[in-house]
Amino acid sequence: MPPFLVGKARVSLVFASFTMTKQQANWSPYDNNGGSCVAIAGADYCVIAADTRMSTGYNILTRDYSKICKLYIYQHQHNKQMSCPAMAQLLSNTLYYKRFFPYYSFNVLGGLDNEGKGCVFTYDAVGSYEKVGYSSQGSGSTLIMPFLDNQLKSPSPLLLPAQDAVTPLVEAEAIDLVKTVFASASERDIYTGDKLELVIVNAAGIRREYMELRKD
Amino acid sequence: MNFMASKQPENSLLGLESDSQRTLYVTCLISIELGSSLDVRYPYVTGTSVVALKYKDGILMAADMGGSYGSTLRYKSVERMKPIGKHSLLGASGEISDFQEILRYLDELILYDNMWDDGNSLGPKEVHNYLTRVMYNRRNKFNPLWNSLVLGGVKNGQKYLGTVSMIGVNFEDNHVATGFGNHLARPVLRQEWHENLSFEDGVRLLEKCMRVLLYRDRSAVNKLQIAKITEDGVTISQPYSLKTYWEFSAFENPAQGAIGSW
């Protein structure tokens, strides 16, 4: 057998029907666990809400999974509460850090800015973000967002000078709107349902409310 | 200079002619060299479902003792549930060798915890968190431990039951199951589970789930163990079999009354 040389020489080793396809299990590092979330910014409050269903494929894994969380670490390191715009940048950086193997999660950030006005930031999976008056993400967002647009009509981000995006609604009205919106989304989105968890942030502090949703 | 297109490929490595073939070969070589960075394998010896629920005094968990090698039932005495430390019980489905590896990791974890000798001990919540981190980090390197884990326990009167999948999806609930158990056992549990089940009721409910799995999951075997964990510790039963009934008249002559071939 002639010696084998890489490069311009032709090699004459014989490999009878040798296929170099490595057998791979079709494994994905990602799973879609479904769910929807919404946030609405008001003049002196912010409402953040998400359903508590976790699914995979056509199964429900659990009906009681909280998708809303609060961050304490900044407070421990900087000895002050983290402002909303600061956390917004942190989340964006965290997501972009994994730009080439993304966190497959669609986020909405809500809270109060330094003046006590509500602020909502909305994200894509790799960290692109925007300050808005309201937003929804997740499997039900296609159903929820148009309805929020209709009720809360946001000013265009292209306008100059920038117009205030916070809604003129009162806190109770915004909460009612969120509940309505989730009840509707649960009707048509299979991944949304079970229970709604609302977190309301205002000058008095943070409070949680729960509402039952359709379980089917 | 001869610009004529040559019939022979310019670059020919081991008879591989296209660029993509050569790239694939070299990638495979590199992957084998580096060990496992691009290396999602597939399972060889697997265990099927684990089912668990919270009851009055703690957690009840059930798993059969089969280790399948594809469609062959190769091992019939595999213990798929093990106690972890003083307060936890781990059940696993999926690749048995990966489960054994996880037991080694947990052994080390518990050992180091004991060596502190400070009167504190890792509870089920902590062990579950540790397992979640291990599973998620392996998934990030595209080299998962091919298991679905169920972690239950009681510490200081608090009952805990959680699960982690091979990609790191984790949650806790009043009842959990892996694999086929999600499809066949969870619905039964959603209908019949309630707070403060007695031990007998809990066992009866678990046996109901395992019986459905035995009838309908082809990798299930009729030799199972039920484990109980309470504040007092872990007890894993001796292996036993469920009574089954195969004389349903509808199955006696299934084609009777059929029109056509079904």
Side-chain angles (χ1 to χ4, degrees), chain B residues 4-237:
Chain B
M4 189 177 73
S6 56
K7 293 207 187 81
Q8 235 63 297
E10 281 273 292
N11 215 357
S12 186
L13 166 66
L14 283 178
L16 300 170
E17 262 137 18
S18 74
D19 263 323
S20 56
Q21 281 182 312
R22 280 189 292 273
T23 319
L24 188 54
Y25 178 59
V26 173
T27 315
C28 291
L29 277 181
I30 292 173
S31 155
I32 294 162
E33 282 305 305
L34 294 178
S36 37
S37 339
L38 292 166
D39 198 22
V40 183
R41 285 170 261 110
Y42 37 88
Y44 286 92
V45 180
T46 55
T48 184
S49 330
V50 177
V51 189
L53 48 79
K54 280 188 193 167
Y55 79 109
K56 187 163 55 91
D57 305 323
I59 312 290
L60 281 168
M61 196 184 295
D64 68 24
M65 300 192 76
S68 310
Y69 184 60
S71 52
T72 316
L73 208 221
R74 177 67 183 84
Y75 300 103
K76 296 192 259 189
S77 296
V78 181
E79 285 197 30
R80 297 195 289 115
M81 295 183 295
K82 293 283 182 185
I84 310 292
K86 282 203 291 258
H87 306 285
S88 316
L89 176 63
L90 174 68
S93 67
E95 173 62 58
I96 300 296
S97 63
D98 282 345
F99 175 51
Q100 290 169 342
E101 184 73 359
I102 289 167
L103 289 175
R104 273 191 287 277
Y105 285 149
L106 287 175
D107 219 18
E108 200 181 323
L109 180 76
I110 300 292
L111 181 71
Y112 276 85
D113 185 46
N114 288 342
M115 292 204 317
W116 283 107
D117 198 22
D118 58 0
N120 204 359
S121 51
L122 289 172
K125 210 178 173 107
E126 290 83 55
V127 177
H128 185 228
N129 185 252
Y130 174 79
L131 287 171
T132 305
R133 290 298 99 215
V134 168
M135 300 302 269
Y136 184 68
N137 279 296
R138 289 289 295 254
R139 160 267 194 199
N140 279 346
K141 295 188 259 191
F142 279 80
N143 184 205
L145 288 159
W146 206 283
N147 295 106
S148 289
L149 305 171
V150 173
L151 199 293
V154 193
K155 191 179 173 197
N156 298 334
Q158 293 274 59
K159 301 186 281 248
Y160 186 89
L161 181 58
T163 180
V164 198
S165 78
M166 73 159 115
I167 57 169
V169 177
N170 73 300
F171 58 92
E172 45 162 320
D173 208 341
N174 294 318
H175 46 78
V176 294
T178 66
F180 262 97
N182 270 314
H183 295 92
L184 298 171
R186 275 328 264 301
V188 176
L189 291 164
R190 287 216 174 95
Q191 191 77 341
E192 303 195 15
W193 184 89
H194 56 87
E195 288 278 2
N196 294 321
L197 278 164
S198 70
F199 175 72
E200 291 76 24
D201 282 343
V203 172
R204 201 173 305 130
L205 188 49
L206 269 185
E207 283 188 345
K208 185 172 184 178
C209 295
M210 295 305 280
R211 189 170 288 112
V212 176
L213 286 165
L214 183 58
Y215 283 131
R216 291 295 179 177
D217 176 6
R218 75 152 187 184
S219 31
V221 295
N222 197 2
K223 183 178 173 193
L224 67 143
Q225 290 177 304
I226 294 201
K228 164 178 81 132
I229 179 162
T230 63
E231 193 72 58
D232 305 323
V234 179
T235 334
I236 304 182
S237 74

Side-chain angles (χ1 to χ4, degrees), chain A residues 36-38 48-52 67-68 182 195-198 213:
Chain A
S36 319
C37 59
V38 161
I48 304 116
D51 70 330
T52 62
K67 297 171 191 157
I68 305 177
F182 266 92
K195 199 163 71 168
L196 172 64
E197 182 181 12
L198 288 122
L213 294 171

Side-chain angles (χ1 to χ4, degrees), chain A residues 139-156:
Chain A
S139 57
S141 68
T142 48
L143 300 168
I144 296 173
M145 203 58 178
F147 186 65
L148 291 179
D149 286 333
N150 177 272
Q151 297 294 304
L152 301 173
K153 188 109 190 250
S154 182
S156 167

Side-chain angles (χ1 to χ4, degrees), chain B residues 233-246:
Chain B
V234 179
T235 334
I236 304 182
S237 74
Q238 285 301 307
Y240 70 103
S241 301
L242 295 170
K243 286 202 189 56
T244 54
Y245 182 70
W246 299 93

